[in-house]
Amino acid sequence: MEVSIAQSLDLLMFGVVCIVLLMGFPVAFTLAGTGLVFALIGFVLGVFDPTFLLAVPSRLFGIMTNEVLIAVPLFVFMGVMLERSKVAEELLDTMGKLFGTLRGGLGLSVSIVGALLAASTGIVGATVVTMGLLSLPTMLERGYSKRLACGTIAASGTLGQIIPPSIVLVILGDQLSNAYQKAQLDMGIFSPDTVSVGDLFAGALIPGLMLVGMYMLYQIAMAILKPESSPAMPPEAGEHVTIDKIFHALVPPIVLIIAVLGSILGGIATPTEAAAVGAVGSIFLAGLRVGKGNPWPIYLAALALVAVLFLTANVDLRVARNEISDFDQMAIYGAIGCVLILTFGVLVALLRVFRAGVLTEVVSGTTHVTTMVFVILIGASIFSLIFRGLGGEELVHELLRDIPGGTIGAILAVMLLMFVLGFFLDFLEIVFVVVPLVAPILLQLQMPNGDPVSPVWLGIMMAVNLQTSFLTPPFGFALFYLRGVAPPSVKTSDIYLGAVPFVLIQMFALVVLWYLPSLATWLPLVVYGP
């Protein structure tokens, strides 16, 4: 394959970005700055048309008006609010006491809480740090193997990558949606099918639960084969768990998760609207946790929220109609009343959270993460535009087409690239830079059985692959997070060796998904239809 001057610049630009990022420069400015520098070089060499840059304003406007991406700050807000209001701490404490008297019970409780926190927060770093601070000292004090304890916490903390609602899946779904439409247009299909974030949420549910089950099976096997690695807690340490404590710790987060996911999978709300439900629900939970006043305003507001969702799903609440039946009119008045109760409950909960000093931290944390996401997205958009202007799209197409093994070889090559990049780059850079370049090409290919590559299956494979990368020694981000909060008695080698069995579990899950793609594609078909 002959490489032109422009395509050589593309390869060099990609390499320079990786090197500069490894030097520690800010991601967004690195992407945009490197792209603009190579655009200037290409213009001087006569291989880049500067009119490509005229598309930058429209791209930025498209990012700022993308309704799907509004879900990002809402889910971040939900996660930070639940983290700062000690929901995770209460969950870990209660589940640890509930299961700890069983051999391997503490490890099982960490996996269960990791899954619940993943579905509640979707923030990998926060989950690993929280569980590392709260459960690692307890596990070590109870005689758990350092390696097993560290591996369990690191692996459970990365479940936020794959279990919906996940920020990774929101961003990946948005990028795959654009890539899928572009792939179909390139194939001459001018009424393209769509893939949504909701499809990806539905597709990730079974693989995510499968991973949780595999983690738990491994811990049960270790408890049987090496009982000294995961001893049971003394009975007196677990006898204080009452039904009331279990209810208080478990039911509210589970109800919140069901409300968010159920409203999406049930077709009641879009992911963005469901994210708003999650944000309001997290305010209620925080108000109950940190406030010391009467809980009934929050309980009534939560019931009003459920009632509004029910009315929205079953009744036409539009007021701008020529004819409104008496039943619809009563439903509209009922919805207005519920909204007033809901508003009052939100204000009460916010006041309690503010007085506890939590609200300021939550708003600051949400703003920080959201700003980072969107600035990186803007930088990646400029980078990919210039990459295409230098002929990078054709270069990637030729590279993937010429790889031995056809479609399978191309997908494996992309997965390997993303896996290696996951050692050095965060998921944001990988999703924003790599996916728009390779996904439109992969989605034009056919599997050996003649079926087209499913965008949902491809997205779930990418998400599990990145999760595996973030867990793999010696560069996995989850391992660095855990090293930062682990006590001095835990060596770095303990963390690395403890993660290895879970990396192998992740790879086995990827193999299972490869040969059983219906694990990712079945539920979206059931929920949304073909």
Side-chain angles (χ1 to χ4, degrees):
M1 181 184 72
E2 293 185 5
V3 179
S4 65
I5 295 176
Q7 291 173 336
S8 299
L9 286 177
D10 268 326
L11 294 173
L12 185 59
M13 180 170 69
F14 194 82
V16 168
V17 160
C18 292
I19 292 171
V20 175
L21 287 175
L22 289 175
M23 293 171 65
F25 285 88
V27 175
F29 303 118
T30 296
L31 292 171
T34 304
L36 291 172
V37 167
F38 275 83
L40 178 61
I41 295 172
F43 174 69
V44 171
L45 297 177
V47 294
F48 180 78
D49 185 356
T51 56
F52 265 90
L53 298 178
L54 296 177
V56 171
S58 62
R59 280 195 166 209
L60 301 188
F61 183 76
I63 292 170
M64 295 300 113
T65 56
N66 188 333
E67 289 189 10
V68 173
L69 293 178
I70 297 174
V72 172
L74 292 171
F75 278 133
V76 171
F77 178 89
M78 182 177 86
V80 177
M81 180 67 81
L82 292 176
E83 178 202 349
R84 299 298 166 90
S85 58
K86 309 299 183 184
V87 172
E89 187 172 339
E90 186 177 12
L91 268 174
L92 278 168
D93 181 61
T94 304
M95 296 299 292
K97 290 178 179 177
L98 184 63
F99 289 105
T101 52
L102 302 174
R103 187 182 297 162
L106 273 179
L108 295 177
S109 66
V110 167
S111 294
I112 294 170
V113 172
L116 291 173
L117 290 181
S120 305
T121 65
I123 304 173
V124 171
T127 306
V128 174
V129 169
T130 300
M131 292 202 300
L133 286 171
L134 298 177
S135 59
L136 184 56
T138 303
M139 295 177 81
L140 297 179
E141 181 184 340
R142 299 298 177 187
Y144 264 67
S145 159
K146 293 178 183 178
R147 295 178 182 179
L148 180 61
C150 292
T152 300
I153 291 170
S156 300
T158 61
L159 288 170
Q161 294 276 116
I162 187 65
I163 293 182
S166 160
I167 298 169
V168 176
L169 294 179
V170 172
I171 296 171
L172 187 58
D174 178 66
Q175 296 297 316
L176 279 175
S177 176
N178 297 332
Y180 191 40
Q181 292 192 30
K182 186 176 187 309
Q184 292 177 92
L185 291 173
D186 289 345
M187 291 188 292
I189 302 172
F190 297 106
S191 56
D193 296 329
T194 58
V195 60
S196 67
V197 174
D199 291 318
L200 226 57
F201 277 9
L205 197 56
I206 293 176
L209 295 176
M210 178 183 73
L211 276 173
V212 178
M214 289 180 176
Y215 291 171
M216 295 175 71
L217 285 174
Y218 170 71
Q219 285 154 16
I220 292 171
M222 287 294 292
I224 295 172
L225 299 175
K226 290 186 176 181
E228 71 279 2
S229 68
S230 48
M233 290 168 56
E236 62 272 13
E239 63 184 10
H240 305 296
V241 183
T242 63
I243 296 297
D244 182 60
K245 285 185 178 180
I246 296 171
F247 184 89
H248 190 264
L250 277 180
V251 172
I254 290 175
V255 169
L256 180 62
I257 293 164
I258 292 173
V260 173
L261 279 181
S263 59
I264 297 172
L265 302 181
I268 300 173
T270 65
T272 302
E273 293 164 346
V277 172
V280 172
S282 69
I283 293 172
F284 290 158
L285 277 181
L288 287 173
R289 289 289 194 281
V290 303
K292 296 182 179 179
N294 185 359
W296 279 107
I298 297 177
Y299 289 154
L300 290 174
L303 290 174
L305 177 59
V306 174
V308 168
L309 289 173
F310 177 80
L311 290 172
T312 303
N314 296 282
V315 183
D316 187 353
L317 298 179
R318 293 175 301 158
V319 295
R321 290 183 283 163
N322 293 328
E323 295 184 7
I324 302 178
S325 67
D326 292 340
F327 178 78
D328 285 358
Q329 190 68 58
M330 290 176 60
I332 289 170
Y333 288 142
I336 292 172
C338 288
V339 169
L340 292 175
I341 296 172
L342 176 60
T343 303
F344 176 71
V346 169
L347 291 175
V348 169
L350 282 175
L351 184 61
R352 293 178 182 178
V353 174
F354 176 74
R355 286 175 175 170
V358 173
L359 186 60
T360 303
E361 295 179 4
V362 171
V363 172
S364 175
T366 303
T367 304
H368 177 79
V369 175
T370 304
T371 304
M372 177 188 71
V373 170
F374 280 90
V375 171
I376 291 174
L377 178 52
I378 290 170
S381 182
I382 295 172
F383 177 88
S384 62
L385 180 69
I386 295 169
F387 188 88
R388 285 193 172 98
L390 288 169
E393 197 167 12
E394 293 80 9
L395 174 63
V396 172
H397 194 285
E398 290 175 12
L399 286 172
L400 293 179
R401 185 191 61 197
D402 293 341
I403 285 178
T407 302
I408 294 177
I411 294 175
L412 289 176
V414 170
M415 290 294 171
L416 181 61
L417 173 65
M418 294 179 72
F419 182 80
V420 173
L421 289 177
F423 291 156
F424 312 106
L425 307 179
D426 193 30
F427 77 90
L428 289 172
E429 299 97 89
I430 297 172
V431 172
F432 286 146
V433 175
V434 178
V435 173
L437 296 177
V438 300
I441 298 157
L442 294 180
L443 293 173
Q444 295 180 47
L445 303 177
Q446 288 187 332
M447 299 298 285
N449 61 4
D451 293 336
V453 175
S454 165
V456 173
W457 172 78
L458 182 64
I460 302 306
M461 289 287 289
M462 287 179 171
V464 177
N465 186 33
L466 286 176
Q467 182 188 356
T468 308
S469 178
F470 295 157
L471 191 59
T472 302
F475 302 109
F477 282 118
L479 309 181
F480 293 152
Y481 290 135
L482 185 57
R483 174 67 278 176
V485 297
S489 60
V490 176
K491 299 178 183 178
T492 302
S493 60
D494 293 327
I495 297 175
Y496 285 178
L497 292 173
V500 169
F502 292 92
V503 172
L504 296 177
I505 291 172
Q506 293 278 143
M507 291 181 174
F508 177 71
L510 277 170
V511 173
V512 171
L513 277 172
W514 181 276
Y515 286 104
L516 295 174
S518 57
L519 289 173
T521 58
W522 175 76
L523 190 57
L525 288 175
V526 171
V527 174
Y528 300 109

